[in-house]
mmCIF file of all heavy atoms in Angstrom:
data_model
loop_
_atom_site.group_PDB
_atom_site.id
_atom_site.type_symbol
_atom_site.label_atom_id
_atom_site.label_comp_id
_atom_site.label_asym_id
_atom_site.label_seq_id
_atom_site.Cartn_x
_atom_site.Cartn_y
_atom_site.Cartn_z
ATOM 1 N N ASP A 38 79.820 105.430 93.198
ATOM 2 C CA ASP A 38 80.340 105.630 94.555
ATOM 3 C C ASP A 38 80.510 107.087 94.918
ATOM 4 O O ASP A 38 81.066 107.421 95.957
ATOM 5 C CB ASP A 38 81.676 104.921 94.695
ATOM 6 C CG ASP A 38 82.706 105.345 93.650
ATOM 7 O OD1 ASP A 38 82.406 106.280 92.882
ATOM 8 O OD2 ASP A 38 83.820 104.763 93.599
ATOM 9 N N GLY A 39 80.030 107.981 94.061
ATOM 10 C CA GLY A 39 80.102 109.409 94.358
ATOM 11 C C GLY A 39 81.424 110.079 94.000
ATOM 12 O O GLY A 39 81.560 111.280 94.116
ATOM 13 N N LYS A 40 82.401 109.266 93.565
ATOM 14 C CA LYS A 40 83.686 109.872 93.198
ATOM 15 C C LYS A 40 83.540 110.700 91.934
ATOM 16 O O LYS A 40 82.808 110.326 91.012
ATOM 17 C CB LYS A 40 84.754 108.793 93.002
ATOM 18 C CG LYS A 40 85.220 108.167 94.312
ATOM 19 C CD LYS A 40 86.409 107.240 94.089
ATOM 20 C CE LYS A 40 86.900 106.682 95.424
ATOM 21 N NZ LYS A 40 88.078 105.793 95.261
ATOM 22 N N ARG A 41 84.243 111.807 91.909
ATOM 23 C CA ARG A 41 84.173 112.717 90.761
ATOM 24 C C ARG A 41 85.589 113.203 90.452
ATOM 25 O O ARG A 41 86.483 113.187 91.310
ATOM 26 C CB ARG A 41 83.309 113.948 91.076
ATOM 27 C CG ARG A 41 81.869 113.638 91.387
ATOM 28 C CD ARG A 41 81.105 113.227 90.144
ATOM 29 N NE ARG A 41 79.688 113.014 90.381
ATOM 30 C CZ ARG A 41 79.167 111.853 90.752
ATOM 31 N NH1 ARG A 41 79.968 110.802 90.932
ATOM 32 N NH2 ARG A 41 77.856 111.734 90.938
ATOM 33 N N VAL A 42 85.796 113.599 89.210
ATOM 34 C CA VAL A 42 87.035 114.266 88.852
ATOM 35 C C VAL A 42 86.677 115.644 88.322
ATOM 36 O O VAL A 42 85.770 115.804 87.497
ATOM 37 C CB VAL A 42 87.832 113.466 87.771
ATOM 38 C CG1 VAL A 42 87.059 113.332 86.471
ATOM 39 C CG2 VAL A 42 89.190 114.105 87.522
ATOM 40 N N SER A 43 87.315 116.638 88.841
ATOM 41 C CA SER A 43 87.097 118.009 88.356
ATOM 42 C C SER A 43 87.860 118.214 87.066
ATOM 43 O O SER A 43 88.842 117.498 86.781
ATOM 44 C CB SER A 43 87.564 119.009 89.396
ATOM 45 O OG SER A 43 88.973 118.941 89.580
ATOM 46 N N LEU A 44 87.449 119.166 86.271
ATOM 47 C CA LEU A 44 88.204 119.488 85.065
ATOM 48 C C LEU A 44 89.572 120.037 85.430
ATOM 49 O O LEU A 44 90.562 119.784 84.736
ATOM 50 C CB LEU A 44 87.446 120.481 84.189
ATOM 51 C CG LEU A 44 88.043 120.714 82.804
ATOM 52 C CD1 LEU A 44 88.030 119.434 81.979
ATOM 53 C CD2 LEU A 44 87.293 121.822 82.065
ATOM 54 N N ALA A 45 89.639 120.761 86.547
ATOM 55 C CA ALA A 45 90.934 121.292 86.988
ATOM 56 C C ALA A 45 91.918 120.168 87.237
ATOM 57 O O ALA A 45 93.096 120.238 86.831
ATOM 58 C CB ALA A 45 90.745 122.121 88.268
ATOM 59 N N ASP A 46 91.481 119.107 87.920
ATOM 60 C CA ASP A 46 92.347 117.963 88.147
ATOM 61 C C ASP A 46 92.669 117.226 86.841
ATOM 62 O O ASP A 46 93.814 116.822 86.611
ATOM 63 C CB ASP A 46 91.661 116.977 89.110
ATOM 64 C CG ASP A 46 92.023 117.233 90.554
ATOM 65 O OD1 ASP A 46 92.993 117.972 90.825
ATOM 66 O OD2 ASP A 46 91.331 116.675 91.450
ATOM 67 N N LEU A 47 91.680 117.114 85.988
ATOM 68 C CA LEU A 47 91.893 116.369 84.740
ATOM 69 C C LEU A 47 92.883 117.072 83.833
ATOM 70 O O LEU A 47 93.691 116.413 83.152
ATOM 71 C CB LEU A 47 90.559 116.175 84.027
ATOM 72 C CG LEU A 47 90.533 115.154 82.896
ATOM 73 C CD1 LEU A 47 90.976 113.767 83.378
ATOM 74 C CD2 LEU A 47 89.149 115.067 82.248
ATOM 75 N N ILE A 48 92.846 118.394 83.795
ATOM 76 C CA ILE A 48 93.821 119.140 82.980
ATOM 77 C C ILE A 48 95.242 118.878 83.464
ATOM 78 O O ILE A 48 96.170 118.626 82.647
ATOM 79 C CB ILE A 48 93.498 120.653 83.035
ATOM 80 C CG1 ILE A 48 92.199 120.944 82.253
ATOM 81 C CG2 ILE A 48 94.650 121.478 82.485
ATOM 82 C CD1 ILE A 48 91.684 122.359 82.430
ATOM 83 N N VAL A 49 95.439 118.913 84.776
ATOM 84 C CA VAL A 49 96.779 118.664 85.321
ATOM 85 C C VAL A 49 97.197 117.212 85.101
ATOM 86 O O VAL A 49 98.348 116.945 84.724
ATOM 87 C CB VAL A 49 96.825 119.031 86.812
ATOM 88 C CG1 VAL A 49 98.146 118.624 87.437
ATOM 89 C CG2 VAL A 49 96.600 120.543 86.999
ATOM 90 N N LEU A 50 96.272 116.286 85.330
ATOM 91 C CA LEU A 50 96.597 114.876 85.109
ATOM 92 C C LEU A 50 96.951 114.646 83.648
ATOM 93 O O LEU A 50 97.897 113.917 83.331
ATOM 94 C CB LEU A 50 95.392 114.015 85.501
ATOM 95 C CG LEU A 50 95.578 112.505 85.321
ATOM 96 C CD1 LEU A 50 96.700 111.985 86.207
ATOM 97 C CD2 LEU A 50 94.262 111.771 85.637
ATOM 98 N N ALA A 51 96.237 115.284 82.734
ATOM 99 C CA ALA A 51 96.514 115.151 81.301
ATOM 100 C C ALA A 51 97.925 115.659 80.972
ATOM 101 O O ALA A 51 98.645 115.049 80.173
ATOM 102 C CB ALA A 51 95.476 115.900 80.481
ATOM 103 N N GLY A 52 98.311 116.765 81.582
ATOM 104 C CA GLY A 52 99.677 117.263 81.344
ATOM 105 C C GLY A 52 100.707 116.286 81.806
ATOM 106 O O GLY A 52 101.735 116.063 81.112
ATOM 107 N N GLY A 53 100.481 115.662 82.963
ATOM 108 C CA GLY A 53 101.408 114.635 83.442
ATOM 109 C C GLY A 53 101.472 113.442 82.516
ATOM 110 O O GLY A 53 102.564 112.867 82.304
ATOM 111 N N VAL A 54 100.334 113.048 81.967
ATOM 112 C CA VAL A 54 100.314 111.961 80.997
ATOM 113 C C VAL A 54 101.138 112.309 79.768
ATOM 114 O O VAL A 54 101.884 111.503 79.241
ATOM 115 C CB VAL A 54 98.854 111.620 80.604
ATOM 116 C CG1 VAL A 54 98.825 110.696 79.362
ATOM 117 C CG2 VAL A 54 98.130 110.965 81.758
ATOM 118 N N GLY A 55 101.007 113.553 79.315
ATOM 119 C CA GLY A 55 101.797 114.006 78.179
ATOM 120 C C GLY A 55 103.275 113.916 78.452
ATOM 121 O O GLY A 55 104.071 113.477 77.595
ATOM 122 N N VAL A 56 103.703 114.316 79.651
ATOM 123 C CA VAL A 56 105.120 114.266 80.017
ATOM 124 C C VAL A 56 105.591 112.799 80.053
ATOM 125 O O VAL A 56 106.668 112.449 79.555
ATOM 126 C CB VAL A 56 105.366 114.955 81.361
ATOM 127 C CG1 VAL A 56 106.797 114.708 81.853
ATOM 128 C CG2 VAL A 56 105.106 116.443 81.246
ATOM 129 N N GLU A 57 104.771 111.901 80.637
ATOM 130 C CA GLU A 57 105.128 110.485 80.701
ATOM 131 C C GLU A 57 105.215 109.855 79.327
ATOM 132 O O GLU A 57 106.126 109.062 79.063
ATOM 133 C CB GLU A 57 104.111 109.764 81.589
ATOM 134 C CG GLU A 57 104.154 110.140 83.055
ATOM 135 C CD GLU A 57 103.066 109.503 83.893
ATOM 136 O OE1 GLU A 57 102.200 108.814 83.295
ATOM 137 O OE2 GLU A 57 103.078 109.699 85.107
ATOM 138 N N LYS A 58 104.269 110.218 78.463
ATOM 139 C CA LYS A 58 104.320 109.683 77.088
ATOM 140 C C LYS A 58 105.585 110.138 76.372
ATOM 141 O O LYS A 58 106.222 109.351 75.655
ATOM 142 C CB LYS A 58 103.101 110.174 76.302
ATOM 143 C CG LYS A 58 101.793 109.465 76.650
ATOM 144 C CD LYS A 58 100.643 109.973 75.772
ATOM 145 C CE LYS A 58 100.857 109.645 74.296
ATOM 146 N NZ LYS A 58 99.687 110.054 73.479
ATOM 147 N N ALA A 59 105.952 111.393 76.576
ATOM 148 C CA ALA A 59 107.150 111.917 75.907
ATOM 149 C C ALA A 59 108.406 111.256 76.447
ATOM 150 O O ALA A 59 109.340 110.974 75.683
ATOM 151 C CB ALA A 59 107.213 113.428 76.122
ATOM 152 N N ALA A 60 108.420 110.983 77.742
ATOM 153 C CA ALA A 60 109.581 110.278 78.314
ATOM 154 C C ALA A 60 109.669 108.855 77.780
ATOM 155 O O ALA A 60 110.759 108.371 77.427
ATOM 156 C CB ALA A 60 109.485 110.282 79.827
ATOM 157 N N ALA A 61 108.518 108.179 77.703
ATOM 158 C CA ALA A 61 108.516 106.805 77.192
ATOM 159 C C ALA A 61 108.976 106.765 75.754
ATOM 160 O O ALA A 61 109.698 105.847 75.339
ATOM 161 C CB ALA A 61 107.121 106.222 77.334
ATOM 162 N N ALA A 62 108.567 107.766 74.948
ATOM 163 C CA ALA A 62 108.981 107.815 73.544
ATOM 164 C C ALA A 62 110.486 107.965 73.420
ATOM 165 O O ALA A 62 111.064 107.550 72.399
ATOM 166 C CB ALA A 62 108.256 108.954 72.829
ATOM 167 N N ALA A 63 111.104 108.563 74.431
ATOM 168 C CA ALA A 63 112.560 108.734 74.421
ATOM 169 C C ALA A 63 113.266 107.559 75.091
ATOM 170 O O ALA A 63 114.499 107.594 75.249
ATOM 171 C CB ALA A 63 112.931 110.033 75.115
ATOM 172 N N GLY A 64 112.487 106.541 75.516
ATOM 173 C CA GLY A 64 113.105 105.368 76.097
ATOM 174 C C GLY A 64 113.265 105.384 77.592
ATOM 175 O O GLY A 64 114.079 104.628 78.141
ATOM 176 N N HIS A 65 112.486 106.236 78.272
ATOM 177 C CA HIS A 65 112.622 106.370 79.713
ATOM 178 C C HIS A 65 111.291 106.091 80.411
ATOM 179 O O HIS A 65 110.224 106.457 79.912
ATOM 180 C CB HIS A 65 113.102 107.768 80.104
ATOM 181 C CG HIS A 65 114.392 108.137 79.446
ATOM 182 N ND1 HIS A 65 115.610 107.691 79.881
ATOM 183 C CD2 HIS A 65 114.644 108.959 78.372
ATOM 184 C CE1 HIS A 65 116.574 108.211 79.122
ATOM 185 N NE2 HIS A 65 116.004 108.974 78.180
ATOM 186 N N ASN A 66 111.371 105.463 81.576
ATOM 187 C CA ASN A 66 110.190 105.240 82.391
ATOM 188 C C ASN A 66 110.107 106.359 83.421
ATOM 189 O O ASN A 66 110.939 106.428 84.329
ATOM 190 C CB ASN A 66 110.260 103.875 83.066
ATOM 191 C CG ASN A 66 109.015 103.600 83.905
ATOM 192 O OD1 ASN A 66 107.936 104.103 83.599
ATOM 193 N ND2 ASN A 66 109.173 102.795 84.943
ATOM 194 N N LEU A 67 109.131 107.225 83.300
ATOM 195 C CA LEU A 67 108.998 108.368 84.187
ATOM 196 C C LEU A 67 107.557 108.407 84.724
ATOM 197 O O LEU A 67 106.608 108.311 83.928
ATOM 198 C CB LEU A 67 109.323 109.675 83.435
ATOM 199 C CG LEU A 67 109.236 110.962 84.224
ATOM 200 C CD1 LEU A 67 110.348 111.001 85.295
ATOM 201 C CD2 LEU A 67 109.364 112.176 83.287
ATOM 202 N N VAL A 68 107.429 108.554 86.012
ATOM 203 C CA VAL A 68 106.114 108.696 86.636
ATOM 204 C C VAL A 68 106.027 110.108 87.213
ATOM 205 O O VAL A 68 106.844 110.511 88.043
ATOM 206 C CB VAL A 68 105.896 107.653 87.747
ATOM 207 C CG1 VAL A 68 104.539 107.880 88.420
ATOM 208 C CG2 VAL A 68 105.952 106.241 87.157
ATOM 209 N N VAL A 69 105.021 110.838 86.747
ATOM 210 C CA VAL A 69 104.809 112.216 87.228
ATOM 211 C C VAL A 69 103.807 112.178 88.378
ATOM 212 O O VAL A 69 102.651 111.776 88.168
ATOM 213 C CB VAL A 69 104.296 113.129 86.100
ATOM 214 C CG1 VAL A 69 104.042 114.523 86.614
ATOM 215 C CG2 VAL A 69 105.297 113.152 84.948
ATOM 216 N N PRO A 70 104.190 112.568 89.580
ATOM 217 C CA PRO A 70 103.254 112.549 90.705
ATOM 218 C C PRO A 70 102.032 113.399 90.447
ATOM 219 O O PRO A 70 102.120 114.464 89.825
ATOM 220 C CB PRO A 70 104.100 113.083 91.863
ATOM 221 C CG PRO A 70 105.509 112.832 91.468
ATOM 222 C CD PRO A 70 105.553 112.984 89.978
ATOM 223 N N PHE A 71 100.886 112.930 90.944
ATOM 224 C CA PHE A 71 99.630 113.658 90.782
ATOM 225 C C PHE A 71 98.828 113.572 92.070
ATOM 226 O O PHE A 71 98.720 112.488 92.669
ATOM 227 C CB PHE A 71 98.812 113.083 89.630
ATOM 228 C CG PHE A 71 97.393 113.639 89.574
ATOM 229 C CD1 PHE A 71 97.172 114.908 89.063
ATOM 230 C CD2 PHE A 71 96.324 112.884 90.033
ATOM 231 C CE1 PHE A 71 95.875 115.423 89.019
ATOM 232 C CE2 PHE A 71 95.038 113.390 89.976
ATOM 233 C CZ PHE A 71 94.807 114.643 89.470
ATOM 234 N N HIS A 72 98.293 114.699 92.501
ATOM 235 C CA HIS A 72 97.498 114.751 93.728
ATOM 236 C C HIS A 72 96.176 115.424 93.448
ATOM 237 O O HIS A 72 96.137 116.635 93.171
ATOM 238 C CB HIS A 72 98.248 115.523 94.828
ATOM 239 C CG HIS A 72 99.620 114.979 95.083
ATOM 240 N ND1 HIS A 72 100.789 115.556 94.571
ATOM 241 C CD2 HIS A 72 100.033 113.900 95.794
ATOM 242 C CE1 HIS A 72 101.825 114.866 94.960
ATOM 243 N NE2 HIS A 72 101.404 113.857 95.721
ATOM 244 N N PRO A 73 95.067 114.695 93.487
ATOM 245 C CA PRO A 73 93.761 115.282 93.217
ATOM 246 C C PRO A 73 93.320 116.200 94.345
ATOM 247 O O PRO A 73 93.922 116.192 95.433
ATOM 248 C CB PRO A 73 92.842 114.055 93.112
ATOM 249 C CG PRO A 73 93.492 113.036 93.996
ATOM 250 C CD PRO A 73 94.976 113.241 93.834
ATOM 251 N N GLY A 74 92.274 116.961 94.082
ATOM 252 C CA GLY A 74 91.729 117.835 95.128
ATOM 253 C C GLY A 74 91.379 119.229 94.634
ATOM 254 O O GLY A 74 90.900 120.056 95.399
ATOM 255 N N ARG A 75 91.598 119.480 93.359
ATOM 256 C CA ARG A 75 91.227 120.778 92.791
ATOM 257 C C ARG A 75 89.733 120.773 92.480
ATOM 258 O O ARG A 75 89.127 119.723 92.267
ATOM 259 C CB ARG A 75 92.025 121.055 91.505
ATOM 260 C CG ARG A 75 93.532 121.074 91.692
ATOM 261 C CD ARG A 75 94.254 121.058 90.365
ATOM 262 N NE ARG A 75 95.697 120.978 90.543
ATOM 263 C CZ ARG A 75 96.370 119.840 90.746
ATOM 264 N NH1 ARG A 75 95.718 118.689 90.795
ATOM 265 N NH2 ARG A 75 97.683 119.842 90.902
ATOM 266 N N MET A 76 89.161 121.961 92.435
ATOM 267 C CA MET A 76 87.750 122.099 92.076
ATOM 268 C C MET A 76 87.608 123.109 90.936
ATOM 269 O O MET A 76 88.543 123.834 90.622
ATOM 270 C CB MET A 76 86.943 122.526 93.297
ATOM 271 C CG MET A 76 86.815 121.434 94.357
ATOM 272 S SD MET A 76 85.791 120.041 93.825
ATOM 273 C CE MET A 76 84.160 120.774 93.893
ATOM 274 N N ASP A 77 86.403 123.145 90.363
ATOM 275 C CA ASP A 77 86.144 124.027 89.240
ATOM 276 C C ASP A 77 85.328 125.242 89.665
ATOM 277 O O ASP A 77 84.262 125.098 90.270
ATOM 278 C CB ASP A 77 85.365 123.262 88.145
ATOM 279 C CG ASP A 77 86.130 122.076 87.597
ATOM 280 O OD1 ASP A 77 87.358 122.106 87.638
ATOM 281 O OD2 ASP A 77 85.483 121.115 87.135
ATOM 282 N N ALA A 78 85.862 126.424 89.396
ATOM 283 C CA ALA A 78 85.145 127.655 89.697
ATOM 284 C C ALA A 78 84.105 127.926 88.600
ATOM 285 O O ALA A 78 84.252 127.504 87.460
ATOM 286 C CB ALA A 78 86.098 128.818 89.789
#
């Protein structure tokens, strides 16, 4: 469908996943907002 993910977006999304995983490991449900739209230079 032409959709793509930039590495810039993926790096930020990955960081949010890391934060959510760490919160879950401590017994908390945390959702880190993410907004795509970055591009790679």
Side-chain angles (χ1 to χ4, degrees):
D38 55 5
K40 287 187 177 181
R41 299 287 184 270
V42 62
S43 66
L44 189 62
D46 269 345
L47 194 57
I48 289 171
V49 172
L50 181 62
V54 168
V56 172
E57 291 175 355
K58 284 183 65 175
H65 303 283
N66 181 28
L67 181 67
V68 177
V69 178
F71 170 77
H72 305 100
R75 300 168 185 83
M76 290 292 287
D77 299 333

